[in-house]
């Protein structure tokens, strides 16, 4: 019966490895999409001739990076769940601390920018209504 257990264990490790790879690829895809969206936003901002405030472009990229970091961390946790050696656990702890720290600072930056965006939208709305563009 130990042979059946080792076959099942081997298959579980194999499946988890593929799932982990899929999650890592998805996280990398999110980073790629985020960079693409941020570049498109930046190009539109530059072409519009408006005041070039790149904070919105940075926030777009930050949102994608934050989400991708969460997926990458999830993939690392999944990988460690099936092969929990002290070496893997130590590496996971280091990676988790780094990724959580990066995510924390990205979130702080997004929260700090949100009130500025709301204020700018209110000013723009007020200017539009004063110019008579809105009925």
């Amino acid at each position: 019966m130990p042979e059946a257990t080792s076959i099942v264990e081997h298959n579980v490790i194999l499946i988890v490895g593929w799932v982990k790879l899929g999650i890592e690829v998805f996280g990398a895809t999110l980073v790629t999409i985020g960079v693409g969206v941020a570049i498109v936003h930046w190009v539109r901002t530059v072409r519009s001739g408006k005041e070039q405030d790149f904070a919105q472009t940075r926030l777009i990229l930050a949102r994608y990076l934050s989400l991708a970091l969460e997926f990458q961390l999830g993939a690392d946790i999944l990988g460690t769940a099936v092969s929990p050696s002290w070496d893997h656990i130590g590496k996971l702890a280091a990676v988790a601390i780094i990724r959580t720290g990066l995510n924390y600072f990205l979130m702080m930056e997004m929260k700090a920018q949100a009130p500025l965006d709301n204020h700018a939208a209110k000013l723009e709305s007020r200017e539009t209504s004063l110019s008579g563009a809105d009925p």
Side-chain angles (χ1 to χ4, degrees), residues 9-30:
E9 184 178 344
H10 173 74
N11 287 335
V12 168
I13 291 171
L14 186 65
I15 291 168
V16 169
W18 281 105
V19 170
K20 179 182 182 241
L21 179 63
I23 294 170
E24 289 172 338
V25 168
F26 184 70
T29 302
L30 282 173

Side-chain angles (χ1 to χ4, degrees), residues 13 26 31 38 43 45-46 55 58 74 76 97-98 110 115 121 128 131:
I13 291 171
F26 184 70
V31 171
V43 168
T45 301
V46 170
R58 290 179 65 228
D76 289 339
I97 289 169
I98 292 167
M110 287 188 283
T128 304
S131 69

Side-chain angles (χ1 to χ4, degrees), residues 58-84:
R58 290 179 65 228
L59 285 176
I60 289 169
L61 182 57
R63 287 183 186 109
Y64 281 94
L65 291 177
S66 178
L67 186 58
L69 282 169
E70 294 292 336
F71 277 100
Q72 295 293 346
L73 182 59
D76 289 339
I77 291 170
L78 189 61
T80 302
V82 295
S83 59

